Amino acid sequence: MSEIPARPHMDPRIDPARLPNHIAIIMDGNGRWAERHGLTRAEGHEAGARGVRLAIEGCREMGIRCLTLYAFSTENWRRSKTEVNVLFRLMSKYIRKEVAEIHKNNIRVRLLGEMDRLPVRAAADLRYCLDLTAGNTAMDVCVALNYGSRTEIARAARLLSEEVADGRLRPEQVDEAAIAARLYAPDHSEVDLLVRTSGELRLSNFLLWQLSYAEIVVTPTLWPDFDKQCLCDAIVEYQLRARRFGGRP
Ligand code: IPE
Ligand code: IPE
Ligand code: MG
């Protein structure tokens, strides 16, 4: 943590000693934002891409160690081909525009999800960004892309069964730590704060394992309107909660 320069906090209500270590965001509401502004869904997603920059910047400035962003779920393939193409085109555009800045800020980008189904160009841009930033140490930005939590957990189970079948692992060694170690980002298997924008009260197949004891903040704000102040508000709310993890003093 020492390499992050101490910066003034944006919101005096935030206690810098009790920041969440890992924030995860379900970036929802681009479509509704577009509808409200009389724009196309594509324009809504474009506005949403700007919010990604603010979230990363805000977390980096505060010294948050890990930010996980839900960008595209395994279920989002059910959308129209046009919308899916727009989303991946925007992703490529975003990476090419932002990667230098991300790298300069010592941020490591990681992928939660499977590369296999991604359009070729999006996969190549993403691969470039992952490789370029792989050695960075100030903060991790995990992008959940073609991500499904059930797929992730099933994959962990498959890896474990292969290891047991090969004799590399005994069945009694399959415990919580063994499963956590086979998730996409084993070192971020615990989320402290989950934010969902645009008011839906559901997880939509996001980080089912990792959210076990996360504090959940749902805001009616639509993702394209989610700015640094909204991020601070969510952290303030997080800090007002009593996290008990099942225990009592
Ligand atoms: C979030 O906005 C972006 C993705 C899911 C990729 P939506 O597109 O889900 O917006 P709404 O829910 O239709 O408003
Ligand atoms: C969750 O949002 C996925 C992302 C934000 C990437 P959705 O808009 O796809 O979720 P549902 O369909 O409302 O559950
Ligand atoms: Mg949605």
Side-chain angles (χ1 to χ4, degrees):
M1 199 145 193
S2 53
E3 66 273 35
I4 299 177
R7 303 227 191 137
H9 287 276
M10 284 173 292
D11 191 319
R13 296 172 301 164
I14 293 177
D15 174 359
R18 291 190 305 116
L19 286 172
N21 185 57
H22 183 180
I23 300 180
I25 307 184
I26 302 177
M27 309 184 289
D28 198 14
N30 295 349
R32 276 161 283 178
W33 183 91
E35 203 174 310
R36 273 186 212 174
H37 291 79
L39 300 169
T40 62
R41 288 186 68 83
E43 288 169 310
H45 293 310
E46 182 137 26
R50 287 194 290 277
V52 175
R53 185 195 173 107
L54 293 179
I56 296 175
E57 247 177 40
C59 286
R60 176 71 180 86
E61 284 163 8
M62 277 186 273
I64 304 293
R65 297 295 298 171
C66 180
L67 171 66
T68 298
L69 297 170
Y70 205 5
F72 191 90
S73 72
T74 45
E75 289 72 30
N76 288 148
W77 294 108
R78 295 178 187 151
R79 298 190 181 195
S80 74
K81 201 163 172 14
T82 318
E83 181 165 356
V84 169
N85 287 341
V86 161
L87 283 165
F88 284 106
R89 211 162 6 87
L90 276 171
M91 195 197 81
S92 282
K93 189 174 150 193
Y94 179 86
I95 293 176
R96 273 182 266 122
K97 191 159 145 262
E98 301 286 339
V99 70
E101 181 80 7
I102 286 173
H103 186 45
K104 199 180 88 197
N105 282 309
N106 197 16
I107 294 168
R108 172 168 62 165
V109 178
R110 298 168 69 173
L111 172 68
L112 308 191
E114 306 288 337
M115 276 273 199
D116 55 0
R117 256 184 104 174
L118 305 191
V120 178
R121 201 165 77 159
D125 288 328
L126 184 64
R127 173 50 59 206
Y128 172 74
C129 178
L130 299 176
D131 292 345
L132 179 75
T133 63
N136 292 342
T137 54
M139 175 186 166
D140 277 354
V141 171
C142 300
V143 185
L145 193 70
N146 188 17
Y147 174 85
S149 186
R150 290 177 176 176
T151 300
E152 180 182 37
I153 294 169
R155 174 181 169 272
R158 190 171 58 250
L159 293 173
L160 286 165
S161 21
E162 284 165 6
E163 290 171 51
V164 170
D166 297 352
R168 280 177 284 150
L169 200 71
R170 293 191 309 279
E172 58 273 23
Q173 290 176 298
V174 178
D175 56 11
E176 291 186 17
I179 293 174
R182 286 153 186 85
L183 298 175
Y184 291 124
D187 46 335
H188 297 307
S189 62
E190 210 68 67
V191 172
D192 299 301
L193 167 61
L194 170 75
V195 179
R196 182 163 190 154
T197 58
S198 86
E200 307 294 355
L201 300 175
R202 56 175 169 261
L203 295 177
S204 303
N205 201 12
F206 189 45
L207 305 177
L208 302 179
W209 178 281
Q210 297 88 331
L211 292 172
S212 295
Y213 266 103
E215 294 299 326
I216 302 175
V217 172
V218 175
T219 163
T221 304
L222 304 174
W223 176 251
D225 293 327
F226 192 86
D227 59 13
K228 288 185 186 177
Q229 189 53 55
C230 299
L231 177 68
C232 289
D233 291 346
I235 294 173
V236 168
E237 183 161 346
Y238 164 84
Q239 292 190 335
L240 290 171
R241 305 270 178 91
R243 298 189 81 191
R244 294 195 288 246
F245 300 96
R248 293 293 179 278

